[in-house]
Amino acid sequence: MRDMVDHEANTDQKLTEERLALLSVLQELTVAALDLFDPNKSADTFLDRLAERLSCTVALWLQEDARGRVHLLGASGLSAASRRLPIPGPLEQPLAPCPASVDLPYPELTSPELACWSVPVIPGTTDAGRGTSVLLLYFDQEPRLPRQYRGMVERLGGVLRTALVHRRLFARTLDSERDLHQQKTLWESLSEASVEGILISSPGGGTLTHNRRFAQMWGLEEDIQSASREALLRAMAERVEEPARFTARSRAFSEHENASGQDELRLKDGRVFEQYNAPVVSEDGVYYGRAVYFRDITARQRTERELQRERDFSSTVLDTARALVIVLDPEGRIVRFNRACQEVTGFSFEELRGAYFWKRLQPPEEAARVETDFAVLASGMGNEQYESFWLTRDGERRLISWASNVLRGETGEIEYVIGTGIDITEQRRAEQERDQTFQREQQARARAEEQEGRSAFLATASGMLAGSLAPEDSLRSVAELTVQRFADWCAFDLLEPDHTVRRITQAQSEALLARSPAKVYPPPPDLKAAQGPGKVLRTGEPAFFPMGDTSAPSGDVPFQSWISVPLLARGRTLGALTLARECEGCQYGPASLVLAQELARRAAMAVDNARLYQQAQTAIGLRDEFLSIASHELKTPVTSLQLSVQGLLRLSRLGTLRAAPMETVAHSLETIERQAKRMAKLVTTLLDVSRIHAGRLDLELEEVDLAALVRDIAARFAPELATSGARLRVHADTPMPGVWDRSRLDQIVTNLLANAIKYGEGRPIDIAVEGNAATALLEVRDQGIGIPPERQTRIFRAFERAVSSRHYGGLGLGLHIVSQLVERLGGSVRVESEAGRGSTFTVELPRQGPPVPPFTASRGAPDRV
């Protein structure tokens, strides 16, 4: 019995010793784990002690980050080389629930007999998320430790978790304190180094801080600097010229947290402060107080006033100087422009400030050259003395004599180019006039003699040209006179309406006939020739060859000099006058060219007068024909109207009007209405032509669908189509809206369709509408009598017809009105036709309306309606 008691006592003592040993180990390792609170302590020390107490071969502390990568926080039993080996990753599964899945690269763990304990330091939940930490303890064989040691190690993992959390918090605290200290030091350094006085107050109105510059600027004593904000404001207000305003604005800023503003303070001692008041607010909107910045701008304002006085003085000197002074930057932009420059050019400085001077002041043809020359001048290598033209606001060219120089800055770089000039336009003009006067005095006698002969020649020629309305006869006489006094060979060529050339006459002098017995008959000019009379007829420009040329008017006689000038009248080339000289030493000069042009002008006037006389006779015939047609067209409805009215009046006088059959009365009234409408239509047509030629035709623009309008007009023409027997095919299914005058567009379509019915001989008529986004096309095609080619260019003129009025009625103004209305709507009309094969009229109209407001009517152009 005693032995049993002793055994139990020994057993209890042994358990007690084991517990004490376990507690001692746990206490020692816990203390070592708590040392990890300090971020500067290494986890290797704790792991070395843990491996020693547990007899581990290797002890590892692994940490998984949010990306699934595993890092080694500490180790015991690894070599330095093994520590540098990276752990493969990232892991497919989180570290905590499956630490054995970590593929560790360390050679110390390659023994297959190693046993491993895994202790989670940060236990995960059931799904064990990322960011966990684990202890791995490796033994040479399965450890023979009491079961309590496993539980001790697991409890130790909880201690490590707490130590790790506090370690991180402590590290963040140290970083925050270090950043805060750094920011405070930086702020204090910047504040003290600032040239501005800075005062920062708290939200409650107390003074948080201020820099030395603030105290120096305001001259505040130390006791006032540390006083309340109100006392500080009172002390500052005593030093400004407007204390009440200063105090009111300061309190207004304090009452409105988000308010900020800038002000200028004038102190009683003459200094001027620039004040900026703004709230101190964090990024997340927390209000920490208010900051006020003061900058002494007394010296700056004094400097600005002095600079302004200097600029005013310089400007006054420059503006009172009579010389032109212009200051340019190195790029050629105008920086300064004195009053003399403004007076010469007519431009103000504000108009040209910052502009490139060669773009605004130089003639366009010289701008590129001047720009290149200025680049050389701005590099410091250009000419200092030169002359150039300036272009004034009115387009006048002024010649300026310039002296230029460059102004360099402190670094030696060219900052400005200064030009000083004198307007020598009048001086140069006077010099030229003086030289020209001397030359004129020498040439006056010779010119007078020559002029006397030319005047007599022109007087005689004018008498010949003015005496006849037949230009051929008078031109022959002038040619004979010219070869007697002015040329060896002379020819007149006229342009025909069909653009062919007809030689009216040519003459040779007796001297030329003596040297060349055979008469010289050069062929008529070729309008395609590159030189000679053909080019003169084509271009309307004179050709002058004082020393002869290979393209002389005669290939048989080697003329030494020749002139060909156009016969111009009312802006048109009617023909050409060609003169040639064969003898040496008698070449034509500039005066000869002037004489030839004057003779050509008088000949052109005679030819033009003769043609105008013929055209007037033709126009009078057309007018008489038109009046006859108009009288006939008006007489027909008037006669019918008169007969119907007379019939009704006769019934009324006999008292039988009420007893007359209603059919008879209705027929008479219908006749009256129909003839009245016909007369109204004729009068409207005449009135439209009158308005067009007087320029009083107004347009009322609106959006109109051309396709819908064509369909409506086609339906309206059903009676006329039925009467003529023609079939109208309408191709206007697609809407074609545009900005036009509806009534005038209706008039265009109506006239074209009426024209097609009249001349279509009962054959089918096609009317189509198409176009694109910008243009609408209206096409009217008939299969009737057609228009001869020589008449197609004239059918749009007034009082012109493609056929005789005896066979077709109407005033002959329909197509003329169409062309004028289309022109005013910004479009065009053309015709394609062959005699006997019908005609196609095509109208093009811009869908956006006329590009410009309707303009004055141009002279007309007739039709065949």
Side-chain angles (χ1 to χ4, degrees):
M1 184 68 177
R2 184 176 178 83
D3 293 337
M4 184 179 297
V5 172
D6 292 340
H7 177 70
E8 291 177 355
N10 291 333
T11 301
D12 292 339
Q13 182 179 1
K14 185 176 181 181
L15 291 173
T16 300
E17 291 175 353
E18 289 178 355
R19 290 191 183 97
L20 289 175
L22 179 62
L23 289 174
S24 175
V25 172
L26 179 59
Q27 182 179 4
E28 179 184 355
L29 294 177
T30 300
V31 172
L34 293 178
D35 287 342
L36 296 177
F37 275 43
D38 187 352
N40 297 320
K41 296 290 185 178
S42 173
D44 292 350
T45 304
F46 167 74
L47 293 177
D48 287 340
R49 188 169 297 180
L50 179 62
E52 178 184 353
R53 291 303 182 188
L54 299 182
S55 300
C56 296
T57 303
V58 177
L60 304 177
W61 190 356
L62 303 179
Q63 172 71 41
E64 181 186 15
D65 60 19
R67 297 182 179 180
R69 297 184 180 275
V70 179
H71 305 277
L72 185 64
L73 295 183
S76 177
L78 289 184
S79 65
S82 296
R83 287 173 178 270
R84 291 193 293 269
L85 295 175
I87 300 175
L91 300 179
E92 296 181 359
Q93 298 295 331
L95 176 64
C98 188
S101 64
V102 182
D103 185 12
L104 299 176
Y106 308 129
E108 291 84 352
L109 305 180
T110 56
S111 175
E113 297 179 356
L114 289 177
C116 178
W117 280 10
S118 174
V119 180
V121 175
I122 302 178
T125 59
T126 55
D127 56 353
R130 297 289 186 184
T132 59
S133 180
V134 67
L135 283 177
L136 297 180
L137 306 178
Y138 291 91
F139 301 89
D140 290 336
Q141 56 185 358
E142 188 65 35
R144 298 178 180 179
L145 297 173
R147 292 194 310 273
Q148 295 86 345
Y149 272 67
R150 180 66 182 237
M152 178 196 70
V153 174
E154 291 177 354
R155 287 195 297 275
L156 191 60
V159 176
L160 288 176
R161 178 188 62 188
T162 303
L164 188 59
V165 171
H166 282 274
R167 180 185 178 94
R168 292 174 179 170
L169 291 177
F170 189 53
R172 292 177 183 173
T173 302
L174 291 178
D175 291 341
S176 298
E177 291 178 352
R178 185 166 53 253
D179 292 343
L180 182 60
H181 178 73
Q182 182 181 5
Q183 292 178 8
K184 181 180 179 182
T185 303
L186 180 61
W187 155 248
E188 291 176 350
S189 299
L190 292 175
S191 176
E192 294 303 328
S194 175
V195 297
E196 298 178 338
I198 303 174
L199 172 65
I200 300 178
S201 59
S202 65
T207 301
L208 290 178
T209 183
H210 62 77
N211 64 349
R212 273 197 304 271
R213 177 61 178 159
F214 169 77
Q216 293 171 357
M217 292 175 65
W218 288 95
L220 301 176
E221 302 295 336
E222 291 188 5
D223 56 341
I224 298 179
Q225 297 178 32
S226 58
S228 65
R229 182 174 179 276
E230 290 298 325
L232 191 61
L233 287 177
R234 285 195 298 273
M236 296 168 66
E238 293 175 357
R239 290 165 170 77
V240 300
E241 291 183 354
E242 299 179 285
R245 180 175 177 274
F246 172 77
T247 303
R249 284 185 61 82
S250 299
R251 289 176 178 170
F253 281 122
S254 299
E255 293 171 359
H256 300 84
E257 293 183 354
N258 296 327
S260 62
Q262 189 170 343
D263 199 4
E264 191 175 279
L265 304 176
R266 294 190 174 274
L267 276 65
K268 294 178 180 179
D269 59 7
R271 291 180 297 163
V272 182
F273 290 172
E274 187 178 64
Q275 170 188 302
Y276 178 70
N277 200 318
V280 180
V281 183
S282 65
E283 293 183 356
D284 52 358
V286 178
Y287 177 72
Y288 290 107
R290 182 164 290 277
V292 188
Y293 305 89
F294 300 93
R295 175 173 291 182
D296 190 343
I297 61 173
T298 308
R300 187 184 74 187
Q301 287 194 347
R302 186 182 304 112
T303 303
E304 289 176 352
R305 286 194 298 271
E306 292 175 356
L307 289 175
Q308 185 61 42
R309 284 197 297 271
E310 181 66 24
R311 284 195 294 268
D312 293 343
F313 175 76
S314 300
S315 297
T316 303
V317 172
L318 291 178
D319 286 338
T320 55
R322 298 185 62 83
L324 285 72
V325 180
I326 182 171
V327 182
L328 309 169
D329 66 10
E331 302 298 325
R333 291 183 288 260
I334 298 174
V335 177
R336 190 70 178 86
F337 199 66
N338 76 336
R339 186 179 301 163
C341 292
Q342 299 178 43
E343 292 174 354
V344 169
T345 64
F347 292 106
S348 68
F349 173 53
E350 294 302 326
E351 290 180 277
L352 300 181
R353 183 197 299 269
Y356 293 97
F357 80 94
W358 55 79
K359 291 184 178 180
R360 299 298 302 274
L361 298 174
Q362 299 296 146
E365 67 274 10
E366 297 184 7
R369 177 187 60 79
V370 173
E371 181 180 2
T372 303
D373 294 344
F374 177 80
V376 178
L377 178 63
S379 66
M381 299 182 294
N383 296 326
E384 297 183 355
Q385 301 287 339
Y386 58 93
E387 294 179 358
S388 68
F389 282 101
W390 265 17
L391 201 62
T392 69
R393 179 190 290 275
D394 299 330
E396 181 185 4
R397 293 173 182 250
R398 306 295 297 183
L399 183 62
I400 314 296
S401 176
W402 289 104
S404 298
N405 201 353
V406 296
L407 181 63
R408 300 180 183 270
E410 295 180 357
T411 62
E413 294 292 331
I414 295 177
E415 293 185 349
Y416 299 103
V417 177
I418 303 175
T420 304
I422 299 175
D423 186 353
I424 61 172
T425 307
E426 303 303 332
Q427 175 185 345
R428 187 60 54 83
R429 188 175 298 162
E431 293 174 356
Q432 293 175 352
E433 289 180 355
R434 181 187 60 196
D435 296 339
Q436 292 172 359
T437 300
F438 178 74
Q439 294 178 0
R440 285 196 296 269
E441 290 175 355
Q442 291 183 331
Q443 298 171 0
R445 187 183 299 272
R447 285 202 306 269
E449 294 175 355
E450 292 178 3
Q451 187 62 35
E452 183 179 358
R454 293 192 182 103
S455 298
F457 167 72
L458 289 175
T460 304
S462 298
M464 295 177 177
L465 293 170
S468 173
L469 289 176
E472 291 83 356
D473 297 337
S474 59
L475 292 180
R476 290 190 185 95
S477 300
V478 171
E480 294 292 340
L481 177 66
T482 302
V483 297
Q484 294 175 13
R485 303 185 183 183
F486 193 53
D488 292 319
W489 181 81
C490 174
F492 280 99
D493 299 296
L494 294 184
L495 278 175
E496 296 296 321
D498 59 354
H499 299 287
T500 59
V501 179
R502 180 167 66 97
R503 174 152 290 171
I504 297 299
T505 184
Q506 62 178 344
Q508 299 88 22
S509 66
E510 294 181 359
L512 179 61
L513 290 174
R515 284 187 289 273
S516 301
K519 289 187 177 182
V520 179
Y521 292 109
D526 182 5
L527 291 178
K528 298 180 180 179
Q531 291 292 349
K535 182 180 178 182
V536 172
L537 288 168
R538 186 176 69 251
T539 63
E541 298 293 334
F544 176 38
F545 291 92
M547 297 301 294
D549 187 72
T550 56
S551 58
S554 172
D556 299 330
V557 178
F559 290 123
Q560 298 299 316
S561 179
W562 63 278
I563 299 173
S564 184
V565 292
L567 304 183
L568 300 176
R570 294 182 294 132
R572 295 183 298 119
T573 302
L574 304 181
L577 164 64
T578 305
L579 310 173
R581 282 240 171 116
E582 182 266 342
C583 62
E584 296 183 4
C586 53
Q587 289 85 0
Y588 290 123
S592 302
L593 175 62
V594 173
L595 178 62
Q597 289 177 316
E598 181 62 25
L599 178 61
R601 184 183 69 81
R602 301 185 185 198
M605 186 181 300
V607 173
D608 191 48
N609 288 338
R611 289 184 175 180
L612 287 176
Y613 175 77
Q614 295 174 357
Q615 292 174 4
Q617 295 298 317
T618 304
I620 291 172
L622 288 173
R623 183 199 62 188
D624 293 342
E625 182 182 2
F626 168 75
L627 292 176
S628 174
I629 295 171
S631 300
H632 175 74
E633 291 292 330
L634 288 172
K635 182 178 180 180
T636 300
V638 167
T639 301
S640 178
L641 184 64
Q642 185 177 15
L643 291 174
S644 298
V645 171
Q646 288 175 351
L648 292 176
L649 287 174
R650 185 168 53 254
L651 293 176
S652 176
R653 290 169 182 162
L654 296 175
T656 59
L657 180 61
R658 292 185 178 181
M662 291 300 297
E663 293 80 1
T664 302
V665 176
H667 178 73
S668 298
L669 292 175
E670 289 174 356
T671 301
I672 293 172
E673 180 184 23
R674 184 170 59 254
Q675 299 305 327
K677 288 182 179 180
R678 183 177 178 185
M679 289 179 63
K681 183 177 179 181
L682 293 173
V683 172
T684 299
T685 300
L686 293 173
L687 182 60
D688 283 343
V689 173
S690 175
R691 287 174 177 172
I692 289 172
H693 285 264
R696 296 194 302 269
L697 185 66
D698 298 327
L699 298 179
E700 297 180 1
L701 300 178
E702 59 178 312
E703 184 167 324
V704 183
D705 184 355
L706 178 59
L709 181 65
V710 166
R711 292 195 297 271
D712 292 344
I713 295 173
R716 198 168 65 214
F717 267 85
E720 288 85 346
L721 291 168
T723 302
S724 66
R727 182 165 60 92
L728 178 62
R729 294 177 292 204
V730 180
H731 310 280
D733 298 329
T734 303
M736 190 60 61
V739 180
W740 302 301
D741 185 315
R742 178 181 294 275
S743 63
R744 299 306 177 186
L745 193 60
D746 186 305
Q747 197 171 0
I748 291 171
V749 179
T750 299
N751 284 356
L752 290 176
L753 194 54
N755 192 78
I757 293 173
K758 178 183 292 186
Y759 298 102
E761 295 187 331
R763 297 190 181 97
I765 300 172
D766 291 277
I767 183 169
V769 175
E770 56 186 25
N772 52 35
T775 306
L777 296 179
L778 170 67
E779 186 176 273
V780 179
R781 180 186 296 109
D782 64 66
Q783 303 177 27
I785 62 174
I787 306 170
E790 66 275 7
R791 303 288 296 177
Q792 292 179 14
T793 58
R794 302 172 60 184
I795 61 172
F796 293 106
R797 300 177 188 173
F799 314 136
E800 290 279 353
R801 291 171 172 271
V803 295
S804 173
S805 60
R806 297 179 181 179
H807 303 286
Y808 294 90
L811 297 177
L813 294 173
L815 291 182
H816 173 56
I817 294 175
V818 167
S819 68
Q820 295 299 305
L821 293 179
V822 169
E823 181 181 351
R824 278 150 185 76
L825 290 175
S828 62
V829 60
R830 64 180 184 272
V831 62
E832 297 177 3
S833 179
E834 293 183 22
R837 307 188 67 174
S839 304
T840 300
F841 289 84
T842 303
V843 176
E844 295 187 13
L845 294 173
R847 297 181 64 177
Q848 298 301 320
V852 295
F855 47 84
T856 303
S858 61
R859 268 198 222 107
D863 70 343
R864 47 175 194 159
V865 173

